[in-house]
Amino acid sequence: MEENQELETKIETLNGMYIFNTSAAKIVPCILTIAEAASWLRQLISTNSLNLESIHDKLDSLFPVAIDYNKSLKTCKLNLPLPDIVQRLESTASCLWNAVAIAIKVEKDEAAGQMLCYSRLFVCVLLSIHETLIPSIERKLRVTQCYVSTLKVTIDHGWNQLHQMINVHLKENLSCLTEAANLFNEKEKKKYEKLKLEFEVSNFQDALKQGNIDLARQFEIQANIIGNVAILDSTLLLDLCRMIYNAILTLRETSLEDINYINYFLQRACEYLELEVPSLKTHADYSSLRYSILLLLANSQVDQNIETWDISKCAMSLRVLQNEYPKKVEPYSLGIDFCKKMGGSSVPQGIKEIIMRMISSVDILLNFDASMGIINEFANLDTRLALECLDYIFINKWDPERDHKWLEKLFIFRFFLTTQSKHLNNTEIIQNLEEYCSQAERRLMDVLSKHAMSSVITLLWNSGKKSEKTGKYLESIGFYRIALKNFISQEYADRGKLQRALMFVYIQVKEFKQCEELYEKMATADKHSPLTQLLILKIFLNQSKEKSCLECLEQIKASGHENAMDTLILAVSECRASKQLAVKAISILFEAIESQQVPEQKLVQWSVPTLCLLRYTSQLILKFVEDEQQNIFTYYLPTMQNLLQKALEYLNRIKTMKRFHETVDSMPQYQEGTSVDEIEWFASTSYNLALKCVAENMDDTNSLDFAQLSRKFILLIPHKEFTFPKMFHYTYWEFRSHLLYLTIIQTRMYRGNPDALLQVQIESLTLMNDISQKRNRQDFKDGCGSYENEKMDGCLSDALLLAFEASLQMQDQIKISEILITTAQWQNPQIEILLTDSAISMYELPRGLFMETIEPLIQRNVDNHLIDDFKICQWLRTFLDCALTLGKTSQLDLTERLLERIKEPLANPDTSNTDQLKQEVEMIATLSWNQGVNSIIKGEKTLGMAWCRTSIQFASLYSDHLETQLQKLWNSLASSAELRYD
């Protein structure tokens, strides 16, 4: 038959209800249609081929039809001629019921579960139709039983819609049964009463689960469990009590305000479990369920607000629990909570008594974690009493040989509770552990396992370290000494680590003898450990045994241990108090670094402490020689140079691995990188030493070496990685160190050496170019103020002067000319003065080259009023003097232009340099006269007359006497040479 075929019995609709033709010819097709649907559903469910949408569609179309069909049948009486058709209906309904019952137990999907329950409800309707066609009390009871069973499933899963549908039909069925109750025999009556009871219990369960306390109380009264004890069986009663327990658990999680209701229902469940129901107390689930309910009741009573707390009921529940279930841990835990809530000074002692009862009754091995948790919590209240409980277990409960691993666990836990105590001070903890160890050593028959050993030592180590960090060294000694007891750490792999920790605190309290005795007890390998040697070094330092200290350093250096170099750095830092020892220690450190193939990454880790040690040692020497004689300073110069050179080499090795940091913590904190402040200190120290060597007129080699070191240090700093102020600072000092280096080459050691002068010339010109390029960069233009520009001007002037003087000394006319051309564009008076004065002061300069150099400088500055008159007169006087010496004729226009310029100051005779200027002018007048006479002698009368006239005009500015004298000389000369001028 097709799935969507309409029922043939449907003939008309009246007021929304189907009216069926009740003739046999019409009934059979309808039954077959419903039976076919049931078979189809069973097949899908049995083969797990659930198409939820298709099944729901089928059920939604057939379910209301089956309901209405059943109602119509109940109103008619007919004789069914085909009993096999009705039997088929029952058979297919029963098969579908069984298939659903199996499937619903294993189905995890919520939607599929609801669909299966819906199918189960459909079966109930089919069985109801069967009962209508063939009425009987037994079949009525069966239908009701199916409805009740399905109702329980919907309540358990919370499927409210199905629950409501079932309730409607179930009430109708129960109503029909009630009407026929007078016809029931005893068996049927008992079954009927049980079904009613199950219905009320199910509703009670649902109301309680929903938190509807009033409705739950109403259903519980209607159920009258105690009054219906005769019809109860153990399964139904246990299911009821289990339901109450689960519902209360849910209600407690939702924080129901009135806890009295919770206690009421739990108390009722306890009463139900006391009913005389056959096989109840022998049921497998009885004891565990009763324990759970009693425990929950006691828990709820203990948690009750103090205002509504019924102490007697709570105490009684706890007594029942502890008496009936003495081997369970939870009742004792609840008893402790009850004791705390009671309060009073006797609480700790009361808790101890409860724990001791627990220890005597409970199998501690099976409940180890829970029991230790209770004792641990008690220790937070009273550590001493908790430890007494723990020690009772340790000494009395277990066999040392059979239960050794459990004794070990207890041993670890005992140390944990003691060392973490908030009620005992460290002195009391140490004393308590010393006493306990005396008992434990006798009780523990076997050697401690690695886990136990490690756990206990870790606790003692942490306690010792904590005391050590706060300066409580005697307490720290106590913890370390317990850890070093033979039965605790004799087989410990890192026993040497414990011994070194104890040695360290012995040293802190100046117990050197005990430290040495402990050293003698160490294993040979631990004695040779770099860390052990570091501790021994501290003893020798305290005893001022320099030789022994150096032996320790050598032993650390020779060690192949992975931490040898780190330890050596720390050891060298310990030697800082003595300059002699510090210098030797630093040498040993660098011997170690240079002798090993050290990975670059490791070098970086060592950089900060190593450089700090170098710096500290250098400072120690510098401070020592600060006020001493020069010979002391000279004596230590090679050492200083060696230390600075080592620092430079070290920095060069690590510079490619890590960027240098701007700041660094104080030594010996290890950093990933090196401080630029550290590098700057080495650079400035080298720079100052170079200056001091120059000032003391010492060997030029020293000053040059230090200047070169300064420059190399500065070059290590990555200028570009910093903001402008810091970048400018390092750039400026890079220029200054380079200038110092070139100055020393030029003025001292390499004077007269053409190769050295060539180096100075080339590097100075390059430096000039670098400075100019830097100044033209946009970041310099934006960042430089007057102060920065002044510093850059100074560097540029010094570099220019070095290049110019080197070119003069080399008589390199091409470079001299290039420099003069370049500087002419700058129009900088200070530069002009530097160049001219430098040329004038170089007496060994050939006079011809001198004139070629100074003449363009005078030419471009004779009208420059930024340069004072005295300077210009001085330059011209020197130039005229040189020309006369060489027998050359100077350019008259220079002298005439100067004459015009200096006429103006005559109106201000109070100028500060007037006397010097008068002297220079008189000399120029004299030199000009001589130039004129020489020209006349050579036959250049016109030029000669011009020179003489200029000479008399210069003389007239400041010296009437000289003017008169020159005028007389002119008259005489003009007469003899027949010269005349206006």
Side-chain angles (χ1 to χ4, degrees):
M1 183 177 292
E2 294 294 327
E3 291 182 5
N4 296 322
Q5 179 178 346
E6 295 185 2
L7 295 173
E8 294 182 10
T9 56
K10 192 187 305 179
I11 57 176
E12 62 177 315
T13 301
L14 180 61
N15 294 328
M17 179 178 290
Y18 294 119
I19 305 299
F20 293 88
N21 186 319
T22 53
S23 65
K26 297 296 184 180
I27 291 172
V28 171
C30 182
I31 293 174
L32 289 175
T33 299
I34 295 173
E36 285 290 337
S39 297
W40 174 74
L41 281 172
R42 181 189 60 76
Q43 185 177 3
L44 290 180
I45 292 169
S46 299
T47 58
N48 197 25
S49 304
L50 301 181
N51 185 327
L52 298 184
E53 185 176 357
S54 176
I55 293 174
H56 271 294
D57 289 345
K58 177 67 74 175
L59 288 172
D60 286 344
S61 64
L62 289 179
F63 187 79
V65 171
I67 293 294
D68 289 341
Y69 180 58
N70 188 35
K71 287 181 180 180
S72 297
L73 287 175
K74 288 182 183 294
T75 61
C76 304
K77 293 183 179 180
L78 55 93
N79 293 318
L80 193 64
L82 298 172
D84 57 326
I85 300 298
V86 178
Q87 184 63 34
R88 181 178 176 185
L89 175 65
E90 181 186 26
S91 175
T92 54
S94 298
C95 290
L96 177 58
W97 176 271
N98 293 333
V100 170
I102 295 170
I104 207 167
K105 289 179 181 179
V106 298
E107 183 58 55
K108 303 298 182 183
D109 182 71
E110 188 74 9
Q114 287 195 65
M115 181 276 298
L116 290 170
C117 194
Y118 193 8
S119 301
R120 195 166 175 168
L121 180 57
F122 180 60
V123 173
C124 293
V125 176
L126 298 187
L127 292 174
S128 181
I129 292 172
H130 177 260
E131 189 276 329
T132 301
L133 293 172
I134 310 177
S136 77
I137 299 299
E138 182 181 356
R139 293 187 185 93
K140 287 182 184 296
L141 290 171
R142 182 181 65 170
V143 171
T144 305
Q145 179 69 57
C146 290
Y147 272 121
V148 170
S149 177
T150 307
L151 176 65
K152 289 180 180 180
V153 175
T154 61
I155 290 174
D156 287 341
H157 289 84
W159 295 328
N160 294 328
Q161 186 177 0
L162 289 172
H163 179 195
Q164 293 172 6
M165 293 172 64
I166 293 170
N167 250 350
V168 171
H169 301 296
L170 183 53
K171 286 179 180 178
E172 290 178 0
N173 275 266
L174 286 171
S175 178
C176 292
L177 285 173
T178 302
E179 292 175 0
N182 57 344
L183 302 176
F184 294 167
N185 58 35
E186 284 301 317
K187 182 179 179 181
E188 291 169 342
K189 185 176 181 180
K190 186 175 182 180
K191 190 170 184 180
Y192 161 68
E193 293 296 334
K194 186 175 180 182
L195 285 172
K196 280 204 306 179
L197 179 62
E198 287 186 33
F199 175 66
E200 298 295 348
V201 166
S202 296
N203 286 324
F204 168 47
Q205 175 186 354
D206 183 54
L208 190 60
K209 187 176 180 181
Q210 297 297 328
N212 192 335
I213 302 298
D214 292 336
L215 186 61
R217 289 286 303 274
Q218 181 181 339
F219 281 123
E220 188 223 4
I221 293 170
Q222 291 175 4
N224 190 17
I225 303 298
I226 296 175
N228 287 310
V229 66
I231 61 175
L232 286 172
D233 60 38
S234 60
T235 302
L236 177 60
L237 186 61
L238 288 173
D239 284 346
L240 169 63
C241 293
R242 187 179 294 107
M243 174 274 297
I244 294 174
Y245 175 77
N246 292 332
I248 293 302
L249 280 180
T250 303
L251 289 177
R252 280 174 60 86
E253 290 175 0
T254 59
S255 302
L256 185 67
E257 290 184 2
D258 194 346
I259 201 169
N260 289 322
Y261 285 118
I262 289 177
N263 293 345
Y264 167 79
F265 286 118
L266 288 172
Q267 189 66 51
R268 294 295 283 174
C270 292
E271 293 173 5
Y272 295 156
L273 290 173
E274 293 297 323
L275 295 174
E276 294 297 328
V277 176
S279 304
L280 174 62
K281 295 183 180 179
T282 58
H283 195 284
D285 296 337
Y286 175 80
S287 181
S288 61
L289 179 60
R290 184 166 185 271
Y291 171 71
S292 298
I293 293 173
L294 279 170
L295 186 65
L296 186 59
L297 174 60
N299 210 327
S300 179
Q301 289 172 336
V302 170
D303 288 345
Q304 198 165 358
N305 290 333
I306 199 74
E307 295 82 5
T308 59
W309 196 28
D310 190 331
I311 297 175
S312 59
K313 284 185 178 180
C314 187
M316 184 170 58
S317 296
L318 289 170
R319 279 197 301 273
V320 170
L321 268 173
Q322 292 182 19
N323 290 337
E324 294 190 19
Y325 301 93
K327 294 185 179 300
K328 298 284 188 179
V329 174
E330 293 83 0
Y332 301 103
S333 178
L334 267 180
I336 292 171
D337 292 340
F338 176 76
C339 188
K340 287 179 181 178
K341 194 167 182 178
M342 289 286 292
S345 58
S346 62
V347 169
Q349 195 62 41
I351 293 176
K352 180 188 174 184
E353 291 174 3
I354 294 172
I355 292 176
M356 293 303 293
R357 287 203 304 272
M358 178 189 73
I359 292 171
S360 301
S361 304
V362 173
D363 188 335
I364 302 297
L365 292 182
L366 295 177
N367 299 275
F368 185 83
D369 291 339
S371 302
M372 294 307 106
I374 291 172
I375 295 175
N376 182 35
E377 189 174 343
F378 182 35
N380 292 326
L381 180 65
D382 192 312
T383 303
R384 291 187 184 277
L385 291 179
L387 293 179
E388 288 178 15
C389 297
L390 208 60
D391 290 349
Y392 179 84
I393 301 173
F394 186 79
I395 295 170
N396 299 291
K397 290 294 288 185
W398 298 325
D399 182 85
E401 293 183 4
R402 186 182 67 247
D403 301 319
H404 177 77
K405 74 170 186 176
W406 294 104
L407 284 172
E408 271 195 352
K409 284 189 174 185
L410 211 59
F411 182 69
I412 297 169
F413 187 60
R414 176 60 157 79
F415 270 85
F416 172 78
L417 280 190
T418 311
T419 55
Q420 307 304 309
S421 172
K422 297 177 181 178
H423 305 98
L424 304 176
N425 60 42
N426 281 345
T427 302
E428 292 171 328
I429 289 173
I430 292 167
Q431 181 181 354
N432 185 283
L433 288 177
E434 286 282 3
E435 294 171 358
Y436 174 69
C437 284
S438 299
Q439 296 178 334
E441 189 171 5
R442 294 192 297 270
R443 184 74 170 152
L444 293 168
M445 305 296 290
D446 296 334
V447 177
L448 289 175
S449 66
K450 289 183 179 180
H451 171 70
M453 193 184 306
S454 176
S455 299
V456 169
I457 290 174
T458 298
L459 290 168
L460 292 167
W461 172 270
N462 291 339
S463 298
K465 279 296 174 184
K466 187 177 180 180
S467 297
E468 183 184 315
K469 288 177 181 178
T470 55
K472 298 176 181 177
Y473 296 119
L474 293 178
E475 293 177 2
S476 183
I477 288 171
F479 286 116
Y480 292 147
R481 288 181 62 175
I482 294 173
L484 283 168
K485 287 182 177 293
N486 281 338
F487 88 101
I488 293 178
S489 63
Q490 188 173 11
E491 303 295 327
Y492 189 54
D494 284 336
R495 185 177 172 84
K497 181 180 177 181
L498 291 170
Q499 291 169 322
R500 282 191 292 272
L502 183 55
M503 286 176 67
F504 176 81
V505 286
Y506 275 148
I507 291 171
Q508 301 307 307
V509 296
K510 309 297 182 183
E511 293 286 351
F512 300 120
K513 184 177 180 181
Q514 291 195 25
C515 190
E516 290 173 0
E517 289 175 357
L518 183 59
Y519 174 75
E520 293 302 324
K521 295 178 182 178
M522 296 178 80
T524 303
D526 288 324
K527 284 183 178 179
H528 293 157
S529 164
L531 293 174
T532 306
Q533 289 300 310
L534 172 61
L535 293 170
I536 297 300
L537 170 73
K538 292 182 179 182
I539 299 176
F540 290 146
L541 283 169
N542 187 269
Q543 298 169 348
S544 300
K545 296 180 179 179
E546 182 178 315
K547 183 179 178 182
S548 298
C549 289
L550 291 173
E551 289 175 356
C552 287
L553 292 172
E554 290 289 351
Q555 190 160 342
I556 295 172
K557 184 185 79 170
S559 171
H561 200 279
E562 61 180 1
N563 70 349
M565 188 61 69
D566 297 292
T567 309
L568 183 58
I569 291 170
L570 294 174
V572 171
S573 71
E574 294 289 335
C575 302
R576 293 175 296 173
S578 167
K579 64 180 182 303
Q580 299 290 351
L581 183 58
V583 172
K584 294 175 182 177
I586 283 288
S587 299
I588 292 173
L589 173 60
F590 275 95
E591 285 173 10
I593 292 174
E594 291 163 1
S595 65
Q596 298 183 27
Q597 296 296 322
V598 184
E600 295 294 334
Q601 187 62 41
K602 198 68 177 174
L603 268 180
V604 171
Q605 294 176 3
W606 296 336
S607 63
V608 172
T610 304
L611 293 169
C612 283
L613 290 171
L614 280 167
R615 176 175 177 174
Y616 185 88
T617 308
S618 302
Q619 287 174 323
L620 191 70
I621 295 172
L622 289 172
K623 186 174 182 180
F624 175 69
V625 302
E626 190 174 31
D627 301 321
E628 298 292 336
Q629 300 296 324
Q630 181 179 329
N631 61 334
I632 300 296
F633 176 71
T634 305
Y635 174 78
Y636 279 105
L637 269 185
T639 302
M640 285 300 303
Q641 185 179 339
N642 182 53
L643 293 176
L644 292 169
Q645 184 64 40
K646 294 293 185 186
L648 179 66
E649 292 171 1
Y650 198 73
L651 286 166
N652 272 315
R653 289 183 67 182
I654 65 172
K655 72 176 181 179
T656 58
M657 292 299 297
K658 293 285 182 181
R659 292 180 176 179
F660 299 127
H661 292 183
E662 277 201 69
T663 58
V664 65
D665 291 342
S666 58
M667 195 272 291
Q669 293 292 326
Y670 286 22
Q671 303 291 318
E672 289 186 350
T674 302
S675 164
V676 293
D677 293 337
E678 202 78 59
I679 302 171
E680 186 177 0
W681 184 89
F682 286 115
S684 60
T685 299
S686 303
Y687 189 90
N688 292 334
L689 286 171
L691 290 177
K692 186 172 178 63
C693 288
V694 172
E696 299 289 344
N697 292 314
M698 299 179 64
D699 186 353
D700 296 323
T701 303
N702 289 324
S703 58
L704 192 64
D705 288 341
F706 285 120
Q708 182 73 318
L709 281 170
S710 176
R711 183 185 173 204
K712 289 178 178 179
F713 278 121
I714 289 293
L715 288 173
L716 286 174
I717 298 176
H719 306 174
K720 296 179 181 179
E721 294 183 9
F722 303 116
T723 56
F724 182 81
K726 203 81 171 175
M727 182 268 288
F728 177 85
H729 173 75
Y730 293 125
T731 301
Y732 171 72
W733 276 107
E734 179 187 339
F735 293 154
R736 295 310 312 169
S737 64
H738 197 175
L739 287 167
L740 176 61
Y741 172 69
L742 294 175
T743 300
I744 294 172
I745 291 178
Q746 182 195 42
T747 60
R748 300 187 66 81
M749 183 176 178
Y750 296 106
R751 181 182 295 278
N753 185 332
D755 293 336
L757 289 175
L758 179 61
Q759 178 186 353
V760 173
Q761 181 195 60
I762 293 172
E763 290 192 28
S764 298
L765 290 170
T766 302
L767 186 56
M768 282 176 58
N769 185 57
D770 290 345
I771 296 170
S772 297
Q773 286 183 353
K774 285 280 195 309
R775 296 191 66 172
N776 290 328
R777 274 180 16 194
Q778 192 60 47
D779 57 338
F780 266 73
K781 290 179 179 180
D782 295 339
C784 284
S786 58
Y787 174 77
E788 288 82 8
N789 283 323
E790 184 180 341
K791 283 183 172 291
M792 295 297 280
D793 286 343
C795 291
L796 185 61
S797 299
D798 291 346
L800 171 66
L801 190 58
L802 283 169
F804 187 60
E805 288 179 349
S807 299
L808 289 174
Q809 288 176 304
M810 294 168 62
Q811 301 179 24
D812 188 341
Q813 291 177 297
I814 295 175
K815 289 298 180 186
I816 293 170
S817 178
E818 289 177 357
I819 291 171
L820 292 176
I821 293 170
T822 300
T823 54
Q825 300 171 7
W826 296 355
Q827 297 181 356
N828 187 321
Q830 286 77 20
I831 296 293
E832 299 295 287
I833 292 171
L834 281 174
L835 294 176
T836 309
D837 288 349
S838 177
I840 291 173
S841 64
M842 197 167 292
Y843 300 110
E844 69 274 15
L845 192 64
R847 295 295 87 187
L849 180 59
F850 171 75
M851 288 189 66
E852 291 177 4
T853 302
I854 198 172
E855 182 178 0
L857 289 166
I858 298 172
Q859 282 279 9
R860 69 196 194 201
N861 287 295
V862 70
D863 300 318
N864 185 356
H865 289 278
L866 293 176
I867 299 175
D868 61 54
D869 293 345
F870 169 73
K871 275 288 181 187
I872 294 294
C873 289
Q874 186 184 46
W875 295 352
L876 183 60
R877 184 259 303 166
T878 305
F879 177 69
L880 293 174
D881 186 42
C882 184
L884 285 170
T885 301
L886 294 176
K888 294 184 177 181
T889 302
S890 303
Q891 292 186 19
L892 179 60
D893 70 305
L894 282 177
T895 309
E896 291 176 341
R897 286 164 62 194
L898 178 60
L899 177 62
E900 291 300 319
R901 169 180 169 164
I902 64 175
K903 284 179 180 180
E904 298 175 8
L906 288 174
N908 185 16
D910 296 327
T911 306
S912 60
N913 61 356
T914 298
D915 291 339
Q916 292 178 318
L917 181 59
K918 276 180 61 177
Q919 186 178 353
E920 290 295 336
V921 168
E922 288 176 359
M923 293 177 69
I924 290 173
T926 301
L927 292 170
S928 297
W929 177 266
N930 292 339
Q931 279 281 6
V933 172
N934 287 343
S935 296
I936 292 171
I937 294 171
K938 291 178 183 178
E940 299 174 348
K941 293 182 179 182
T942 303
L943 180 59
M945 290 169 61
W947 274 109
C948 290
R949 182 175 61 249
T950 301
S951 172
I952 294 170
Q953 289 175 338
F954 265 104
S956 68
L957 295 175
Y958 288 104
S959 177
D960 294 338
H961 173 72
L962 180 58
E963 180 186 7
T964 302
Q965 187 179 1
L966 289 177
Q967 189 63 53
K968 288 179 181 179
L969 288 174
W970 170 253
N971 293 336
S972 175
L973 179 61
S975 174
S976 61
E978 298 181 351
L979 301 174
R980 182 179 179 183
Y981 74 92
D982 296 330

